[in-house]
Amino acid sequence: EELDLMNKNLLMHPEYYTQSSEYDRCPLRRYRLCQECLEGGALMLAVHNEGCKQWPGAGRGHQHVFCFHCTRRWGQCDHRTQCVDPGIQQVRKVDDHLEIGFVAAPAFLSWVAGGGTPPPTVYGPTQEDGTVRQERLGLDRSAIRQESSVGTL
């Protein structure tokens, strides 16, 4: 299924690709889902490769603009805001709409390195068990370690 493929892709790159982005000096992930596209029913994976946390840079090239660090719409977050990364995104279908959840990145990276169990995906007040998610996606820690060693581009 398309959603599982997207979730697998997001989990295959749990690390930040940069620890200090230009201008904002915050760490950034390589991939993010566009929340506003999702709200409209479209699954759009954004890729960040340089510059500040605003995506797309200078607000041009896509109909929606958001913060690549905290994932909020640009305007709810800006260059003056010290925002917080909510984690690794995941997406699911609930009734007739798509919903974004987050996996705690430090706990996920710890699991990938060999510790404990995979953390859950938190979707607002509900969550999906991490072990169930990893089994459904057919994604074990060795595959993630191997992909992460290659890099995100």
Side-chain angles (χ1 to χ4, degrees):
E1 177 174 301
E2 186 178 5
L3 296 181
D4 283 346
L5 191 57
M6 183 65 71
N7 288 332
K8 188 173 182 177
N9 187 33
L10 290 161
L11 289 172
M12 288 295 281
H13 299 282
E15 69 285 344
Y16 292 119
Y17 87 92
T18 182
Q19 293 297 320
S20 183
S21 65
E22 294 175 28
Y23 191 77
D24 301 295
R25 303 293 177 232
C26 62
L28 295 175
R29 300 190 184 289
R30 178 69 71 194
Y31 304 109
R32 289 290 195 189
L33 296 169
C34 176
Q35 176 72 40
E36 286 187 81
C37 283
L38 214 68
E39 290 168 3
L43 196 56
M44 204 290 286
L45 184 65
V47 180
H48 197 286
N49 64 353
E50 65 180 12
C52 66
K53 66 183 183 177
Q54 178 184 1
W55 192 92
R60 294 186 305 268
H62 183 67
Q63 71 248 30
H64 307 122
V65 182
F66 64 95
C67 174
F68 226 78
H69 187 66
C70 71
T71 73
R72 293 182 296 170
R73 289 180 178 98
W74 200 251
Q76 295 174 344
C77 183
D78 58 33
H79 292 300
R80 295 180 310 271
T81 305
Q82 293 294 318
C83 58
V84 176
D85 177 0
I88 305 161
Q89 289 176 308
Q90 294 288 274
V91 61
R92 70 178 178 182
K93 187 170 184 173
V94 177
D95 299 323
D96 62 346
H97 69 280
L98 299 172
E99 178 181 37
I100 290 181
F102 296 93
V103 176
F108 189 77
L109 288 166
S110 175
W111 172 75
V112 169
T117 59
T121 304
V122 178
Y123 293 95
T126 65
Q127 59 184 19
E128 177 184 19
D129 179 85
T131 300
V132 170
R133 177 196 61 237
Q134 295 306 122
E135 288 175 359
R136 185 186 78 252
L137 297 175
L139 192 55
D140 65 21
R141 61 180 111 204
S142 63
I144 298 167
R145 278 194 302 263
Q146 181 178 1
E147 182 69 19
S148 288
S149 70
V150 173
T152 57
L153 277 184

PDB file of all heavy atoms in Angstrom, residues 3 29 33 39 42 54 58 80 113 118 130 138 150 152:
ATOM      1  N   LEU A   3       0.596   4.110   1.575  1.00  0.00           N
ATOM      2  CA  LEU A   3       0.898   4.697   2.879  1.00  0.00           C
ATOM      3  C   LEU A   3       2.024   3.942   3.578  1.00  0.00           C
ATOM      4  O   LEU A   3       2.911   4.560   4.186  1.00  0.00           O
ATOM      5  CB  LEU A   3      -0.341   4.738   3.765  1.00  0.00           C
ATOM      6  CG  LEU A   3      -1.492   5.622   3.271  1.00  0.00           C
ATOM      7  CD1 LEU A   3      -2.653   5.579   4.262  1.00  0.00           C
ATOM      8  CD2 LEU A   3      -1.037   7.041   3.024  1.00  0.00           C
ATOM      9  N   ARG A  29      15.619  17.140   9.191  1.00  0.00           N
ATOM     10  CA  ARG A  29      15.484  15.826   8.560  1.00  0.00           C
ATOM     11  C   ARG A  29      15.485  16.028   7.052  1.00  0.00           C
ATOM     12  O   ARG A  29      15.199  17.106   6.561  1.00  0.00           O
ATOM     13  CB  ARG A  29      14.182  15.161   9.003  1.00  0.00           C
ATOM     14  CG  ARG A  29      14.158  14.968  10.501  1.00  0.00           C
ATOM     15  CD  ARG A  29      13.026  14.098  10.995  1.00  0.00           C
ATOM     16  NE  ARG A  29      13.115  14.099  12.440  1.00  0.00           N
ATOM     17  CZ  ARG A  29      14.050  13.488  13.148  1.00  0.00           C
ATOM     18  NH1 ARG A  29      14.946  12.765  12.534  1.00  0.00           N
ATOM     19  NH2 ARG A  29      14.091  13.576  14.459  1.00  0.00           N
ATOM     20  N   LEU A  33       6.490  15.199   5.234  1.00  0.00           N
ATOM     21  CA  LEU A  33       5.218  15.229   4.521  1.00  0.00           C
ATOM     22  C   LEU A  33       4.653  16.640   4.622  1.00  0.00           C
ATOM     23  O   LEU A  33       4.774  17.291   5.665  1.00  0.00           O
ATOM     24  CB  LEU A  33       4.229  14.249   5.147  1.00  0.00           C
ATOM     25  CG  LEU A  33       4.620  12.779   5.068  1.00  0.00           C
ATOM     26  CD1 LEU A  33       3.697  11.942   5.946  1.00  0.00           C
ATOM     27  CD2 LEU A  33       4.569  12.299   3.632  1.00  0.00           C
ATOM     28  N   GLU A  39      -4.040  17.273   4.169  1.00  0.00           N
ATOM     29  CA  GLU A  39      -5.396  17.714   4.508  1.00  0.00           C
ATOM     30  C   GLU A  39      -6.282  17.783   3.278  1.00  0.00           C
ATOM     31  O   GLU A  39      -7.490  17.599   3.362  1.00  0.00           O
ATOM     32  CB  GLU A  39      -5.346  19.068   5.219  1.00  0.00           C
ATOM     33  CG  GLU A  39      -4.760  18.968   6.616  1.00  0.00           C
ATOM     34  CD  GLU A  39      -4.419  20.318   7.240  1.00  0.00           C
ATOM     35  OE1 GLU A  39      -4.688  21.375   6.614  1.00  0.00           O
ATOM     36  OE2 GLU A  39      -3.872  20.313   8.359  1.00  0.00           O
ATOM     37  N   ALA A  42      -3.861  14.659  -0.635  1.00  0.00           N
ATOM     38  CA  ALA A  42      -2.694  14.303  -1.462  1.00  0.00           C
ATOM     39  C   ALA A  42      -1.506  13.969  -0.567  1.00  0.00           C
ATOM     40  O   ALA A  42      -1.252  14.643   0.418  1.00  0.00           O
ATOM     41  CB  ALA A  42      -2.337  15.456  -2.384  1.00  0.00           C
ATOM     42  N   GLN A  54      12.657  27.085   6.474  1.00  0.00           N
ATOM     43  CA  GLN A  54      11.457  27.367   5.681  1.00  0.00           C
ATOM     44  C   GLN A  54      11.490  26.513   4.424  1.00  0.00           C
ATOM     45  O   GLN A  54      12.495  26.463   3.723  1.00  0.00           O
ATOM     46  CB  GLN A  54      11.403  28.842   5.304  1.00  0.00           C
ATOM     47  CG  GLN A  54      10.210  29.201   4.450  1.00  0.00           C
ATOM     48  CD  GLN A  54      10.243  30.659   3.999  1.00  0.00           C
ATOM     49  OE1 GLN A  54      11.163  31.403   4.308  1.00  0.00           O
ATOM     50  NE2 GLN A  54       9.237  31.058   3.259  1.00  0.00           N
ATOM     51  N   ALA A  58      12.374  30.551   0.365  1.00  0.00           N
ATOM     52  CA  ALA A  58      11.811  31.799  -0.163  1.00  0.00           C
ATOM     53  C   ALA A  58      10.319  31.671  -0.462  1.00  0.00           C
ATOM     54  O   ALA A  58       9.730  32.550  -1.057  1.00  0.00           O
ATOM     55  CB  ALA A  58      12.573  32.275  -1.400  1.00  0.00           C
ATOM     56  N   ARG A  80      12.220  33.570  13.695  1.00  0.00           N
ATOM     57  CA  ARG A  80      12.429  34.032  15.075  1.00  0.00           C
ATOM     58  C   ARG A  80      12.027  32.976  16.105  1.00  0.00           C
ATOM     59  O   ARG A  80      12.374  33.072  17.268  1.00  0.00           O
ATOM     60  CB  ARG A  80      11.629  35.311  15.327  1.00  0.00           C
ATOM     61  CG  ARG A  80      12.093  36.493  14.504  1.00  0.00           C
ATOM     62  CD  ARG A  80      11.270  37.752  14.778  1.00  0.00           C
ATOM     63  NE  ARG A  80       9.835  37.537  14.702  1.00  0.00           N
ATOM     64  CZ  ARG A  80       9.088  37.651  13.600  1.00  0.00           C
ATOM     65  NH1 ARG A  80       9.660  37.982  12.469  1.00  0.00           N
ATOM     66  NH2 ARG A  80       7.792  37.451  13.627  1.00  0.00           N
ATOM     67  N   ALA A 113      19.940   1.148  16.969  1.00  0.00           N
ATOM     68  CA  ALA A 113      21.298   0.823  17.423  1.00  0.00           C
ATOM     69  C   ALA A 113      21.357  -0.491  18.197  1.00  0.00           C
ATOM     70  O   ALA A 113      22.441  -1.001  18.467  1.00  0.00           O
ATOM     71  CB  ALA A 113      21.848   1.955  18.278  1.00  0.00           C
ATOM     72  N   PRO A 118      10.952  -0.886  19.542  1.00  0.00           N
ATOM     73  CA  PRO A 118      10.702   0.336  18.780  1.00  0.00           C
ATOM     74  C   PRO A 118       9.589   1.165  19.440  1.00  0.00           C
ATOM     75  O   PRO A 118       8.585   0.613  19.898  1.00  0.00           O
ATOM     76  CB  PRO A 118      10.276  -0.165  17.405  1.00  0.00           C
ATOM     77  CG  PRO A 118       9.876  -1.579  17.583  1.00  0.00           C
ATOM     78  CD  PRO A 118      10.605  -2.094  18.784  1.00  0.00           C
ATOM     79  N   GLY A 130       4.945   0.218  18.325  1.00  0.00           N
ATOM     80  CA  GLY A 130       6.103   0.242  17.453  1.00  0.00           C
ATOM     81  C   GLY A 130       6.463  -1.105  16.860  1.00  0.00           C
ATOM     82  O   GLY A 130       6.849  -1.203  15.687  1.00  0.00           O
ATOM     83  N   GLY A 138       7.570  -4.550   7.509  1.00  0.00           N
ATOM     84  CA  GLY A 138       8.639  -5.473   7.142  1.00  0.00           C
ATOM     85  C   GLY A 138      10.000  -4.808   7.235  1.00  0.00           C
ATOM     86  O   GLY A 138      10.870  -5.030   6.392  1.00  0.00           O
ATOM     87  N   VAL A 150      24.385   4.643   4.137  1.00  0.00           N
ATOM     88  CA  VAL A 150      24.539   5.101   2.768  1.00  0.00           C
ATOM     89  C   VAL A 150      24.296   6.610   2.695  1.00  0.00           C
ATOM     90  O   VAL A 150      24.878   7.312   1.885  1.00  0.00           O
ATOM     91  CB  VAL A 150      23.564   4.354   1.825  1.00  0.00           C
ATOM     92  CG1 VAL A 150      23.574   4.927   0.435  1.00  0.00           C
ATOM     93  CG2 VAL A 150      23.875   2.881   1.806  1.00  0.00           C
ATOM     94  N   THR A 152      21.286  10.029   2.883  1.00  0.00           N
ATOM     95  CA  THR A 152      19.919  10.347   2.474  1.00  0.00           C
ATOM     96  C   THR A 152      19.795  10.873   1.056  1.00  0.00           C
ATOM     97  O   THR A 152      18.733  11.252   0.642  1.00  0.00           O
ATOM     98  CB  THR A 152      19.300  11.380   3.439  1.00  0.00           C
ATOM     99  OG1 THR A 152      20.128  12.533   3.448  1.00  0.00           O
ATOM    100  CG2 THR A 152      19.127  10.824   4.819  1.00  0.00           C
TER     101      THR A 152
END
